[in-house]
Amino acid sequence: MDLGLKGKKAIVCASSKGLGRGCAEALAAAGVDLVLNARTASTLEETADAIRTAHGVNVQTVACDITTEEGRAEVLSVLPDPDILVNNAGGPPPGLWSDWEIDDFEKALHANMLTPIMLMKHTLPHMIDRGWGRVVNITSQSVKAPIPALGLSNSARAGLTGYVAGTSRQVAEYGVTINNLLPGIHATDRAQSLDGGVVKAQGITMEEAQKQRQATIPARRYGTPQEFGAACAFLCSVHAGFIVGQNILHDGGGTNATI
Ligand code: NAP
């Protein structure tokens, strides 16, 4: 399917690895020029080179922390008016409700709620002027069903979800869509670090921890960044203009719910 995106320009945040990279690769395969971001310059450059070589698109890089005001300003100075914005950042650490202080919540809120909101605030006006735009926020299945160890994620992402529910319906008439893509467990560094938590807590091997977590997913496996990226690229495509303000699970059936 031709996604109709050739020549469009996208900012993909937190995209040197994992799900962000999966989205960047899929958009590049559809002919989208990219601004990629991550904190570690070396990994970011390697990813950018690989994408340029594989897809022949223009890829610019901004090595910075997207959860800071300075980082966001740097990314926006390179591309203030993207056609497509994919919001992403690292997820908050696991723990228990009794562990966290205000400071922990503030960090999670900045990373997983306020950063995407601020990036939308700056880029939506350009999309509205142009009469076309796409925003996809990488959130989590924890939005639909809370994950006990990820209370910081449950909380911050709920705030972003509420913002998107309202704002997406205010910008849809201008040809701009905002949707959230909710990953379940995918084979990335983040999943490996959460597997490591299970290893530590239960005194089992990494293989056992992964088997245990795979058994909780009806598809009986972890998702891949490639599959996730393809779903993101479809939401960004010309075919997805009537999908507005949705929270789309990409979790192998892991969230046990009827709707
Ligand atoms: P990942 O494999 O650890 O990759 C994270 C990427 O984001 C890396 O490129 C990293 O590069 C970059 N990054 C992290 N913090 C950043 C920051 N402050 N500023 C700029 N770049 C940053 O993670 P992932 O699995 O793709 O997860 C992506 C998001 O999806 C996270 O919010 C995670 O909580 C959520 N999620 C993931 C899963 C899963 O199973 N994988 C499930 C549910 C939700 P640098 O470290 O160099 O900055």
Side-chain angles (χ1 to χ4, degrees):
M1 183 193 286
D2 178 359
L3 297 182
L5 295 177
K6 200 166 170 35
K8 302 259 189 226
K9 292 184 173 48
I11 293 174
V12 186
C13 303
S15 50
S16 67
K17 296 194 210 169
L19 304 180
R21 178 172 177 164
C23 296
E25 298 257 9
L27 289 171
V32 176
D33 294 322
L34 302 171
V35 173
L36 302 185
N37 149 263
R39 292 162 304 179
T40 314
S42 54
T43 331
L44 183 61
E45 291 310 326
E46 278 168 33
T47 297
D49 276 345
I51 292 178
R52 281 183 204 109
T53 307
H55 304 290
V57 293
N58 182 14
V59 183
Q60 291 171 278
T61 55
V62 185
C64 66
D65 184 340
I66 197 68
T67 69
T68 64
E69 207 176 322
E70 304 75 51
R72 290 189 292 276
E74 238 184 291
V75 169
L76 290 170
S77 72
V78 173
L79 181 57
D81 57 348
D83 302 290
I84 296 166
L85 169 67
V86 179
N87 278 312
N88 185 31
L96 193 62
W97 60 269
S98 49
D99 295 339
W100 301 310
E101 302 297 341
I102 284 195
D103 190 39
D104 301 302
F105 280 100
E106 279 176 354
K107 277 193 197 122
L109 289 172
H110 273 286
N112 303 115
M113 177 185 170
L114 298 174
T115 289
I117 287 176
M118 284 300 113
L119 286 169
M120 281 185 262
K121 182 179 191 316
H122 284 96
T123 54
L124 284 173
H126 300 288
M127 296 181 188
I128 289 169
D129 284 349
R130 201 182 287 131
W132 196 93
R134 297 284 185 265
V135 180
V136 174
N137 300 299
I138 300 180
T139 66
S140 171
Q141 65 180 2
S142 69
V143 165
K144 292 258 187 186
I147 300 173
L150 293 178
L152 293 172
S153 171
N154 300 340
S155 308
R157 296 192 202 275
L160 174 61
T161 305
Y163 174 88
V164 167
T167 308
S168 61
R169 288 165 171 91
Q170 292 171 309
V171 301
E173 66 181 292
Y174 306 106
V176 178
T177 71
I178 313 176
N179 290 288
N180 301 322
L181 196 48
L182 283 52
I185 306 175
H186 286 69
T188 67
D189 288 2
R190 165 80 171 169
Q192 188 136 25
S193 112
L194 294 174
D195 291 339
V198 177
V199 168
K200 220 163 140 191
Q202 299 186 23
I204 55 177
T205 65
M206 184 60 106
E207 206 190 347
E208 286 166 335
Q210 284 171 349
K211 271 202 182 134
Q212 199 181 93
R213 293 222 294 158
Q214 279 164 4
T216 66
I217 305 169
R220 301 286 182 254
R221 64 174 179 87
Y222 290 179
T224 68
Q226 291 75 17
E227 290 170 308
F228 189 86
C232 174
F234 177 75
L235 284 177
C236 295
S237 76
V238 294
H239 310 295
F242 210 52
I243 303 178
V244 170
Q246 297 304 299
N247 292 281
I248 297 169
L249 281 165
H250 193 270
D251 69 345
T255 305
N256 191 31
T258 305
I259 55 169

